[in-house]
Amino acid sequence: MARPKKDGNRATGIYGKHGSLYVVLSHTIISDGQKKYKNEWINTNLADTTANIKKASEIREIILGQKSNKVSVDKNITMSDYIDIFLSEKQREVADTTYSGYYNRSRHISDFFKKIKVKDIHKHDIEVFLDTLLIEKNLEARTVKDIRRLFHLIMNKAVEDGIIVINPVKDLKLNKNLLAEHSKAQIDDDFFSYDEAILFLDKAKEHPLYNLFYFTLFFGLRRSEVLGLKWSCIDFRNKTMNITHTVTKGTTINRLNTTKTETSQRFYPLSDTQIDLLENLKKIENENKRLCGNCYKDNDYIFKHIDGSLFYPDYPSKAFLKIIKANPDLPQHITFHGLRKSCVSILVHEGYDIKSIQNWVGHADIDTTLKIYTKIKNIDAKKEILDGMSKKLHS
């Protein structure tokens, strides 16, 4: 009579136990904020013989193909721990700037719910949370809407992970009255008209960032694009400029040889005036290098500090707002991004068609261009009505 085999490993992931062959899968489980490992034993119903080991291995491959590689999650996990899992997955899936937005918004959720279990959070709790963001935290309506959207994604994942059955955020409505109180008024001065753009450039003429403002406005550049302009993007002989590099702020400052979308990668002809402007900037840069000597931080970027150190992404935005606040005759609700919208505004006013404008500013979706186009046309129409009514009633 043959001696029975001892329990133990037979092949990768195949173990013999009590005369049968088992597939053993190792799972990572997050429980009480701690990462633990647990083995799952699956009986193949095959006798523990040498001839069956190959069959057991084939069964293991089939099981692995059917099983998800996702981390198993403790059904009693707290919201703060679960958000950490959610963020770790998103960090692999999305751009750093998007991840940074997720991270910042998720802190509000973590701070409010802390150690409350995900499965114990109900629709009413979330309504109270969102109202608190408006009433006590005094956040803007748009920010709260973004947090609600993120909460919806998190709870959708909780459904997928089997922690909850129904997403409590799915049909949740925000408090309409509170939103109205915390919404920025729908204003028409978030971009310059042609005359206002000329006035702004005149006011900013002596500012160190004048050329950066000018290029942003003229070409409708995103902040990430104008900060990413390099000398290697400029062809002085053929008078052209390429947009291929961006600088963004996420969890870190990202300097990438890529743009927001494929349509954002675009080519521009340059005028003699713009070539002269750039050549003058290059002369100033060379003089700064001479004056700073070994202290100069050499790089290929066009717009930077005197010593060559690079602008922090928020720097031009803050400088722009200071100019606006110092000049009450300029629209007071405009932001740096409004320069990009202002480019669209001027092109619309000059009669260019929507498709041409979209290509010039690099909108991936023509609806974005159309939205600004419609707004400008509505403003122009109201002004025409004002002028017409004024002539009729005051003649």
Side-chain angles (χ1 to χ4, degrees):
M1 184 175 178
R3 173 180 288 182
K5 291 185 176 181
K6 290 182 179 180
D7 294 345
N9 181 252
R10 300 286 180 268
T12 303
I14 304 298
Y15 284 78
K17 185 176 180 181
H18 305 318
S20 296
L21 292 175
Y22 287 79
V23 173
V24 180
L25 303 178
S26 181
H27 297 291
T28 304
I29 299 175
I30 305 296
S31 180
D32 298 325
Q34 300 295 317
K35 185 180 288 187
K36 301 176 182 178
Y37 300 94
K38 182 179 180 180
N39 289 333
E40 179 185 6
W41 288 70
I42 303 171
N43 194 340
T44 65
N45 295 315
L46 296 172
D48 186 3
T49 65
T50 302
N52 284 335
I53 291 176
K54 184 177 180 181
K55 292 180 181 179
S57 295
E58 290 173 353
I59 291 173
R60 177 177 178 271
E61 291 301 316
I62 293 172
I63 292 172
L64 287 174
Q66 295 172 341
K67 291 275 186 182
S68 168
N69 290 325
K70 287 184 178 180
V71 173
S72 298
V73 181
D74 177 17
K75 299 299 186 291
N76 292 310
I77 192 170
T78 63
M79 177 54 77
S80 58
D81 286 341
Y82 191 63
I83 284 175
D84 289 342
I85 295 173
F86 175 87
L87 290 174
S88 67
E89 290 189 7
K90 286 299 177 185
Q91 194 168 22
R92 297 167 59 88
E93 299 172 5
V94 300
D96 185 60
T97 48
T98 303
Y99 172 77
S100 176
Y102 282 160
Y103 178 85
N104 292 329
R105 293 178 205 124
S106 71
R107 294 305 92 190
H108 291 286
I109 302 173
S110 291
D111 291 345
F112 186 88
F113 290 99
K114 296 179 181 176
K115 295 301 178 182
I116 297 176
K117 296 174 182 177
V118 174
K119 69 178 184 179
D120 293 334
I121 297 173
H122 302 291
K123 181 177 179 180
H124 175 70
D125 303 318
I126 301 170
E127 288 175 340
V128 172
F129 160 65
L130 294 171
D131 287 353
T132 300
L133 294 179
L134 292 165
I135 298 169
E136 296 182 13
K137 300 291 185 180
N138 201 32
L139 298 183
E140 290 181 15
R142 179 180 175 181
T143 303
V144 175
K145 289 177 181 178
D146 287 341
I147 293 171
R148 181 203 173 281
R149 277 191 285 270
L150 176 62
F151 212 148
H152 186 272
L153 291 176
I154 293 170
M155 297 310 260
N156 259 353
K157 175 172 165 51
V159 172
E160 293 173 5
D161 288 340
I163 300 173
I164 56 177
V165 177
I166 299 173
N167 183 346
V169 189
K170 184 177 180 181
D171 298 316
L172 185 148
K173 299 292 190 295
L174 290 163
N175 188 311
K176 190 173 182 179
N177 293 328
L178 286 176
L179 285 177
E181 290 178 20
H182 291 78
S183 292
K184 282 190 174 180
Q186 293 298 310
I187 50 179
D188 293 330
D189 61 347
D190 60 346
F191 53 79
F192 292 133
S193 65
Y194 172 78
D195 290 335
E196 290 167 340
I198 297 301
L199 178 61
F200 166 75
L201 291 176
D202 182 63
K203 299 287 186 182
K205 202 157 192 176
E206 302 303 319
H207 196 281
L209 296 185
Y210 171 81
N211 293 316
L212 182 149
F213 295 144
Y214 168 78
F215 266 80
T216 304
L217 175 63
F218 191 97
F219 296 103
L221 301 180
R222 297 176 178 88
R223 185 179 71 177
S224 61
E225 293 169 346
V226 72
L227 289 177
L229 280 178
K230 292 184 170 186
W231 291 114
S232 55
C233 298
I234 308 299
D235 184 338
F236 284 95
R237 175 177 292 181
N238 295 308
K239 300 179 182 178
T240 61
M241 176 176 74
N242 285 308
I243 304 298
T244 58
H245 188 87
T246 56
V247 177
T248 59
K249 183 183 76 170
T251 54
T252 59
I253 305 302
N254 301 293
R255 304 182 188 278
L256 304 170
N257 291 317
T258 183
T259 53
K260 186 176 180 182
T261 63
E262 288 185 12
T263 53
S264 299
Q265 295 187 15
R266 52 204 191 277
F267 159 91
Y268 291 109
L270 296 173
S271 67
D272 290 339
T273 300
Q274 290 157 353
I275 288 293
D276 290 343
L277 184 153
L278 287 166
E279 287 178 340
N280 186 55
L281 281 176
K282 192 63 177 172
K283 288 178 183 178
I284 293 173
E285 179 180 303
N286 290 334
E287 178 63 12
N288 289 336
K289 285 182 182 180
R290 187 186 68 79
L291 292 173
C292 294
N294 293 333
C295 295
Y296 190 84
K297 300 173 178 61
D298 202 7
N299 56 74
D300 193 37
Y301 289 95
I302 296 176
F303 298 113
K304 51 200 170 189
H305 293 291
I306 292 175
D307 66 352
S309 59
L310 303 179
F311 292 149
Y312 194 76
D314 286 343
Y315 178 68
S317 300
K318 291 177 180 178
F320 175 82
L321 288 177
K322 285 182 180 179
I323 296 173
I324 296 299
K325 296 303 178 187
N327 293 278
D329 47 346
L330 290 171
Q332 292 298 296
H333 293 95
I334 191 170
T335 63
F336 184 84
H337 187 71
L339 288 174
R340 176 167 163 80
K341 286 185 178 181
S342 300
C343 177
V344 177
S345 167
I346 294 167
L347 293 174
V348 171
H349 191 73
E350 292 301 306
Y352 292 96
D353 64 89
I354 295 175
K355 192 64 182 176
S356 297
I357 297 172
Q358 179 195 12
N359 290 336
W360 183 262
V361 298
H363 282 151
D365 187 350
I366 199 167
D367 287 343
T368 305
T369 316
L370 188 60
K371 186 177 179 181
I372 302 173
Y373 180 92
T374 303
K375 189 173 184 179
I376 295 164
K377 285 296 185 182
N378 285 341
I379 294 171
D380 289 344
K382 288 178 181 177
K383 288 180 178 176
E384 286 182 16
I385 292 172
L386 173 66
D387 292 341
M389 292 293 286
S390 296
K391 289 177 181 177
K392 291 289 183 182
L393 296 179
H394 298 292
S395 57

